[in-house]
Amino acid sequence: HTLVTRLPPAGADAEAPPEPEPAFPFMTLLVSGGHNMAVLTRGIGDHTILGSTIDDSIGEAFDKTARVLGITEVPGGPHLERLAKEGDASAHTLTK
């Protein structure tokens, strides 16, 4: 998860200049439905877990969001992810 930002974008032109990569060291906040981790990455294969939780509060937030959208299956996260993949990325303009 931490180094996926270093992969070229899907369908990237081999002749195009590479996108800038995150410089080492960097910190990643990995948030999942059942656990969270803060990871310090000093280089490829050099990771230190600074802290982690086994907490389902993020998963509970996904479940509640799914219920608001009328999804009754639990866990709601996978259903929300599927809907996000099927959605129209240009439907709403988000600020950066």
Side-chain angles (χ1 to χ4, degrees):
H1 291 84
T2 300
L3 294 178
V4 73
T5 57
R6 299 179 68 87
L7 293 173
D13 181 3
E15 302 298 319
E19 301 225 358
E21 299 174 347
F24 294 113
F26 61 86
M27 192 168 106
T28 300
L29 177 61
L30 175 64
V31 180
S32 176
H35 67 282
N36 308 304
M37 298 172 80
V39 180
L40 174 62
T41 300
R42 292 183 186 90
I44 303 225
D46 185 4
H47 310 286
T48 302
I49 298 173
L50 301 174
S52 65
T53 67
I54 300 175
D55 182 357
D56 65 352
S57 60
I58 298 297
E60 293 291 329
F62 285 139
D63 294 343
K64 289 176 183 176
T65 301
R67 276 197 303 272
V68 167
L69 295 174
I71 299 168
T72 57
E73 294 89 359
V74 175
H79 300 284
L80 295 174
E81 182 178 10
R82 179 183 46 78
L83 288 172
K85 286 180 180 177
E86 295 172 357
D88 178 2
S90 64
H92 301 281
T93 302
L94 302 175
T95 58
K96 293 189 179 206

